Amino acid sequence: MLKVANLTKQFADVRAVDDLSFAVEPGEIYGFLGGNGAGKTTTLRMVLDIIRPTSGTIEVMGSPPDRRASGAIGFLPEERGLYGNMTVIDMIAYFGQLKQMRAGDARAHGMELLERFDLADRAKAKVADLSKGMAQKVQLATALVNRPRLLILDEPFSGLDPVNQGLLEDEILRAAGTGAAVIFSTHVMQHAERLCERILLLRKGRKRFEGTIAEARAELPSRVAAIAPQGIATMSGIAAAEPVSDLGEGWHAWSLQLAPGVEAGDLLEACTAQGLPLRRFEEQRASLHDVFVALVGNDPSIEETRA
């Protein structure tokens, strides 16, 4: 559905995107992750033919990007923008017509979306009279009204309350369920963990990782938190053993880093076979935030707080 190859964008002496390649398949939810200034928005704008690349190629449904062929694309920009003096349904229908829909079809599907978003009673209200949360749902409806085959969402969760974040997650899953390719940029790792089949991590315009969430977590060594005697520190398969505290009577709390290829279950089986007593044994899986920090550095714009 989307193929990017060796994409580069240079602004004067700043290389915003640097030799970037990736592809997104139909029905896939693809997370485009990075801190502020990583090149996410610049890349998406090139995909949408808003700006042109310095070098490299882009194929959208098999053809180069073309703003005149936007009927199969839905886009939610990071900078929201609606016409305050238009009514809600007129706003949605207008965006549908911009995407080559007939006026009647755009209004009909717009009303379906408003029903789904619990905004049907505000269809004839002016956009300027809506609350911020309501306006954000209307903006989402403008991206969905044409039933896009490629849905591009740039920082879509920014500013949404938890209820509307849940609604947006449902709409992303719904779109992918109909076969649409969904690509969304974010710096909130938990949304990507919940939604994405694959992710791409960007730093300063360069790809640092691409793959599944499980593959991303596998980039970091497995760890185990244990309460056990001193002997666990010398067990085979442990790369590093850090004592956390001495609990007395021969018991210690440990943070254990497993050797590459060793699973927590392997260590537990070895402890059992050797008769090593345990009071606690808990595998500690790396979060996507941990992976990001390890691969691209600790970026203060990356959010870990669960939404």
Side-chain angles (χ1 to χ4, degrees), residues 50-72:
I50 296 171
I51 59 177
R52 299 287 170 81
T54 303
S55 61
T57 61
I58 303 169
E59 291 183 9
V60 180
M61 291 170 278
S63 300
D66 188 339
R67 279 169 284 180
R68 296 167 297 182
S70 62

Side-chain angles (χ1 to χ4, degrees), residues 65-141:
D66 188 339
R67 279 169 284 180
R68 296 167 297 182
S70 62
I73 300 175
F75 176 48
L76 182 67
E78 180 180 8
E79 298 86 5
R80 311 292 196 254
L82 297 172
Y83 299 114
N85 288 328
M86 294 182 74
T87 68
V88 168
I89 188 59
D90 286 345
M91 181 86 267
I92 298 170
Y94 172 66
F95 271 79
Q97 289 175 269
L98 289 177
K99 297 171 184 179
Q100 304 165 18
M101 295 181 75
R102 289 183 294 189
D105 293 340
R107 293 183 76 86
H109 192 223
M111 284 304 304
E112 290 178 26
L113 290 167
L114 291 176
E115 290 279 359
R116 202 153 77 216
F117 297 170
D118 196 27
L119 285 176
D121 61 331
R122 307 305 300 269
K124 295 185 178 179
K126 286 190 175 183
V127 171
D129 295 332
L130 300 179
S131 68
K132 181 179 178 181
M134 290 178 179
Q136 287 175 317
K137 288 195 282 188
V138 173
Q139 185 90 58
L140 176 60

